Amino acid sequence: MSVRILSAAQMRWADAAAMAAGMTGFDLMDRAGKAVTDAVLEHMPDFGRVVIVTGSGNNGGDGFAAARYLRQRGVPVTLVMLTPLDQLPENVRLHAQLARDVGAKLREAVCDVSFTELNRWLARAVIVVDAILGSGVNRVLAGRVAEAVAQINLSGRPVLSIDIASGLNADTGQVMGDAIHAGYTLPVAACKWGYWMGHGPEYSGTLLPVACIGIEDALLCRAWSAVADPSACEYTVPLNSANFIDVEAMERGWPRRSRLSHKGSFGHVWVFGGSPGFTGAPKLAALGALASGAGLVSVVCPDEVWPVVAAGSLEAMVHSHSSRCWQSDEAEEVVAQADAVVAGPGWGIGQQSLLTGLLATSRPLLLDADALNMIAADARLQASVRERSGVTVLTPHPGEAARMLGCSVDEVQADRKRSVLKLARCYASWVVLKGHETLISSPAGDLTLNPFGSPQLAVAGSGDVLAGMLGRQLAFWRRQGGDIGSMIAAAVALHGSAGERSGWYLASELAGVVASMRQSIEKRH
Ligand SMILES: NC(=O)C1=CN([C@@H]2O[C@H](COP(=O)(O)OP(=O)(O)OC[C@H]3O[C@@H](n4cnc5c(N)ncnc54)[C@H](OP(=O)(O)O)[C@@H]3O)[C@@H](O)[C@H]2O)[C@@H](O)CC1
Ligand SMILES: Nc1ncnc2c1ncn2[C@@H]1O[C@H](COP(=O)(O)OP(=O)(O)O)[C@@H](O)[C@H]1O
Ligand SMILES: [K+]
């Protein structure tokens, strides 16, 4: 099953809908508490005292429920409450009382004297559970909450945050004055955008598998249409769904090869690119396509660079522009052999007529680099992209995205979710907004977040390798069908995962890592 990502308001809607359908808030917290217990037992560095710090809302309720389950497993537990028992909501108070009944120590840290209590217990903790604030944070941290967060961070103890590190905005990853530096975050019911947006990655630590608390998947999915995403606006497609790629989803994109398969089974990718000074880019895209399992790859480049591109290309067939009479009205006929076309790597910005021809074909088309730059500068090309009958995938990095949207890179990066949804609307295409935590949008606003990748990928040519890999997926899809969104996501994830491995520093070597990972996944199926 996919891992869902919800905004705070969507999560509130799903909680309320589950309760309207018969579940109680008490039960939801109880299940969350059970999941917290399992996570604590798995990740506590040593057997010893668990200190759970609770706030005033339901996140605290999850913490009280965890205390009861931990006590039942024989773990010593101290609950340090930042809100007095009698001021807690009824469900939460009930969990607190049940925890006390099974031997959890309850301590209030609501005044200066009792605050020293927090430090005393922190010093004795093997792990701290942060149940101070969840997705309900609505203002800058102040007073005892701010002080407790600072003390916990200073304590140097490993911290497991329930749902989200207290103080992080669940939608934007904004730090509300201060936030817990979590070692682990346990998402409750669904992932929250704040783990990846803004400063979220610096505070969230390792993301654990989502705790299922009995809210049905169909209900989580309804939340996207019931409550608009805060990034959606009149210039974006509405967010239709949001998922996170995990290892399983990545691996599903590389099925076992049939014993009877032949190179035609995996598709023929045609790469259009290269220009004086930029002869490596189309070769790297060809390499990416081959590494990810394309059956055949052809490269088409301008005449003046043909000898350079063709030299040393052992596996790819290399043609020059003039060798194939590339008139735009003949493009459909010429690319008839292609299962997918990749246009743009190193191409220069003077190929408008050839690009116009390719846009007019119905072949699955991936547009990268200079193809995107030409489109950004030409309203007619933009209209041609929107009007295409075939599948179109755009792979801008933030600089290219800014040109395509007519804004600054900072504006793109300030709300990457909004930016990718805007591009999907403007160009009626699939969009892969590259960079740390690449975001993919379908033309209809189905978002996928790729958590794989590393700054090692910030190296010349790694994007060209990705363009080739995506070209291979489009070609494979044309040959064998399947869910195109999952196939695009799988390529982005494999590229990111390969980037996390050591042992490579050149983009051409990255392609080698991609190939060996892809082969071992295919064999495991
Ligand atoms: N809904 C459910 O039934 C379920 C919810 N679940 C869990 O609950 C979490 C969401 O629960 P929640 O909405 O109660 O929010 P939560 O983050 O615990 O507390 C917010 C409270 O703190 C306050 N407050 C806000 N900002 C503040 C600040 N800066 N400094 C100090 N106080 C501040 C604000 O109150 P206020 O002071 O504004 O009246 C509010 O009462 C969710 O993340 C998940 O873990 C799951 O168990 C499933 C069932
Ligand atoms: N800090 C980072 N973390 C994760 N991935 C990154 C990071 N920096 C770059 N990447 C990835 O590396 C690739 C770079 O692509 P691009 O900028 O087009 O490079 P090039 O044009 O040199 O090929 C993209 O897939 C991008 O997502
Ligand atoms: K928390």
Side-chain angles (χ1 to χ4, degrees), residues 48-256:
R49 182 164 295 274
V50 176
V51 171
I52 304 177
V53 188
T54 56
S56 64
N58 294 319
N59 195 252
D62 299 346
F64 289 118
R68 188 173 90 250
Y69 284 110
L70 283 163
R71 281 301 305 138
Q72 287 170 351
R73 306 283 285 269
V75 179
V77 179
T78 301
L79 281 154
V80 181
M81 301 186 296
L82 303 180
T83 301
L85 196 58
D86 58 3
Q87 289 174 27
L88 295 174
E90 199 185 326
N91 275 334
V92 176
R93 195 165 61 240
L94 188 51
H95 273 297
Q97 285 157 346
L98 289 173
R100 186 171 52 193
D101 291 348
V102 292
K105 290 183 196 301
L106 258 65
R107 298 287 184 267
E108 286 187 358
V110 294
C111 64
D112 289 349
V113 180
S114 55
F115 226 85
T116 55
E117 190 88 344
L118 172 63
N119 285 331
R120 190 171 314 143
W121 288 108
L122 285 176
R124 296 167 64 178
V126 293
I127 191 165
V128 177
V129 174
D130 154 32
I132 304 173
L133 290 163
S135 52
V137 66
N138 56 20
R139 58 185 180 275
V140 167
L141 271 51
R144 59 177 177 270
V145 170
E147 241 177 279
V149 166
Q151 304 284 18
I152 293 168
N153 285 341
L154 269 177
S155 73
R157 299 290 179 234
V159 182
L160 186 149
S161 286
I162 303 180
D163 204 19
I164 189 157
S166 294
L168 266 191
N169 180 301
D171 291 338
T172 62
Q174 184 195 347
V175 177
M176 309 293 282
D178 197 4
I180 289 286
H181 274 282
Y184 305 94
T185 293
L186 177 70
V188 178
C191 285
K192 314 294 159 352
W193 287 103
Y195 309 149
W196 303 286
M197 301 290 137
H199 291 284
E202 297 148 46
Y203 288 84
S204 300
T206 304
L207 206 58
L208 301 177
V210 176
C212 288
I213 58 168
I215 302 180
E216 282 183 13
D217 188 56
L219 205 153
L220 294 174
C221 293
R222 272 173 37 213
W224 291 313
S225 54
V227 183
D229 186 273
S231 290
C233 67
E234 58 182 309
Y235 305 110
T236 68
V237 283
L239 185 146
N240 194 48
S241 67
N243 294 293
F244 161 86
I245 317 174
D246 57 12
V247 173
E248 259 176 56
M250 172 177 79
E251 297 203 345
R252 276 197 300 273
W254 312 95
R256 178 177 273 274

Side-chain angles (χ1 to χ4, degrees), residues 45 273 310 314 321 414:
L314 297 181
H321 284 180

Side-chain angles (χ1 to χ4, degrees), residues 11 27 29 39 41 43 65 119 132 148 155 160 183 197 205 269 305 307 317-318 364 397 416 431 484 504 513 521:
M11 194 64 244
D27 289 340
M29 286 177 222
L41 291 174
H43 296 288
N119 285 331
I132 304 173
S155 73
L160 186 149
M197 301 290 137
V269 178
V305 295
M317 295 159 272
V318 183
H397 59 52
R416 285 171 55 83
V431 181
I484 192 156
W504 71 275
V513 181
I521 296 169

Side-chain angles (χ1 to χ4, degrees), residues 368 397 400 434-438 452-455 457-464 466 495:
D368 186 38
H397 59 52
E400 288 152 354
K434 295 186 291 194
H436 188 67
E437 269 124 25
T438 291
F452 302 102
S454 117
L457 285 167
V459 63
S462 67
D464 302 323
L466 176 66
H495 177 263

